[in-house]
Amino acid sequence: MSDSEQALQALLQPLGMDSTAFPPTSRYHGIEVATMETSDGRTIAYVRRRFVPPPERFALLQEHTVQEGDRLDKLAAQYIGDPEQFWRLCDANGATRPDELTEENGRKLRITLPEGIPGGQNA
């Protein structure tokens, strides 16, 4: 472990966190935790930016047609089994504003497998 990694661990451990603090179901899982030193000598730990993969990298399972009252958390619960994973629906549909996905009735939403898992409707 490098000096900077040891410093990070020393900072995060009192908070009960480490660089693997995000579970596999989190959108931040596997994202590197970095540190920066401010001009007054304080060290600040932060999670590096998450780059969203392009939607075509996700294998399509099915589509959902948006209906009145649909919400991403409810759809995530229905299709993924966890309402907190609504971000997967955002990723699969290239949304930067989650609310826009359910604003228009009749819109088709892609329900996909997680990135890197092959398969789909005819698999």
Side-chain angles (χ1 to χ4, degrees):
M1 184 179 288
S2 70
D3 289 344
S4 63
E5 289 171 332
Q6 289 176 347
L8 174 61
Q9 291 303 323
L11 287 169
L12 296 175
Q13 284 177 348
L15 301 174
M17 297 177 65
D18 63 24
S19 60
T20 59
F22 301 101
T25 56
S26 169
R27 76 181 88 180
Y28 302 110
H29 180 74
I31 303 293
E32 182 182 353
V33 176
T35 60
M36 65 174 276
E37 190 150 333
T38 64
S39 59
D40 62 359
R42 291 180 299 136
T43 301
I44 298 173
Y46 64 97
V47 177
R48 290 199 183 270
R49 181 176 178 188
R50 175 179 177 262
F51 292 94
V52 178
E56 58 272 13
R57 291 179 58 179
F58 299 91
L60 180 67
L61 286 175
Q62 66 185 87
E63 289 186 327
H64 172 86
T65 303
V66 173
Q67 299 172 2
E68 185 71 31
D70 275 349
R71 293 186 351 210
L72 286 182
D73 59 339
K74 289 182 174 180
L75 295 174
Q78 177 182 343
Y79 290 108
I80 302 170
D82 183 352
E84 292 184 353
Q85 292 192 38
F86 69 91
W87 59 271
R88 287 181 44 196
L89 297 175
C90 296
D91 286 0
N93 290 280
T96 54
R97 278 189 336 106
D99 291 343
E100 73 184 9
L101 292 176
T102 55
E103 285 177 347
E104 182 180 330
N105 290 344
R107 180 179 178 151
K108 302 279 188 196
L109 296 182
R110 292 169 36 94
I111 310 299
T112 66
L113 291 169
E115 181 186 21
I117 298 179
Q121 288 179 319
N122 300 319

